[in-house]
Amino acid sequence: MITYNTDGVRMPKIKKRETTAWIRAVAATYGKRVGDIGYMFVSDEKILEVNREYLGHDYYTDIITFDYCEGDTLNGDLVISLDTVKSNAELFKKDYDEELHRVIIHGVLHLCGINDKGPGEREIMEAAENKALNTQPKSR
């Protein structure tokens, strides 16, 4: 089951049923199935608090992925700062909805085993994000 919740922000305008189906389809391309994935949309201040408390990092970020996967079943909590998504969309001259969906799928790709911190990994992640975004229904 995939759930969408907020803490201190308004729920973004995403089509939950279509987004859930898209996430499941992307996971399947990696031989994975969706177990329990919880999205929590928050502010910059809240994600900074989570980053400090759970990871010991003192900076803002767009997403934090907590991975609880078991075998080929994806389980995790994904915390997304809508403030950072908005500022990144402006910075990279992207549509807000596209940037939001990029971040939504970014967390799922982490759960699928794709990393983005080591040498050459960022390019692999970006390619995987772009591939996933190209499979997303365009009826937004």
Side-chain angles (χ1 to χ4, degrees):
M1 171 189 284
I2 299 175
T3 58
Y4 305 90
N5 295 288
T6 62
D7 183 353
V9 297
R10 296 180 81 175
M11 181 64 71
K13 294 178 181 171
I14 56 174
K15 294 184 177 180
K16 293 176 188 170
R17 192 172 298 136
E18 288 180 12
T19 301
T20 295
W22 173 57
I23 290 166
R24 289 182 189 281
V26 169
T29 66
Y30 291 91
K32 308 288 185 183
R33 67 180 199 85
V34 171
D36 291 319
I37 296 177
Y39 283 93
M40 179 63 70
F41 298 103
V42 302
S43 66
D44 267 355
E45 292 312 310
K46 182 64 176 179
I47 207 159
L48 180 60
E49 180 184 311
V50 171
N51 217 1
R52 286 175 175 157
E53 182 174 343
Y54 294 97
L55 302 177
H57 299 160
D58 191 23
Y59 54 82
Y60 298 102
T61 188
D62 51 0
I63 185 168
I64 298 174
T65 303
F66 294 98
D67 184 340
Y68 313 123
C69 295
E70 297 176 6
D72 289 335
T73 302
L74 303 184
N75 298 298
D77 289 322
L78 307 172
V79 183
I80 295 175
S81 170
L82 295 179
D83 294 332
T84 299
V85 169
K86 183 177 187 286
S87 59
N88 282 348
E90 292 168 0
L91 178 67
F92 300 121
K93 297 179 179 21
K94 297 286 185 182
D95 176 74
Y96 173 80
D97 287 335
E98 179 184 342
E99 185 64 18
L100 177 59
H101 284 85
R102 178 178 298 279
V103 174
I104 286 170
I105 210 64
H106 181 95
V108 171
L109 293 169
H110 273 310
L111 296 178
C112 288
I114 299 174
N115 296 312
D116 60 357
K117 300 289 187 227
E121 290 179 339
R122 162 111 8 244
E123 294 79 7
I124 293 167
M125 176 61 85
E126 286 180 16
E129 290 170 353
N130 291 334
K131 181 180 175 188
L133 286 168
N134 286 332
T135 67
Q136 182 186 11
K138 300 296 180 202
S139 60
R140 281 187 269 142

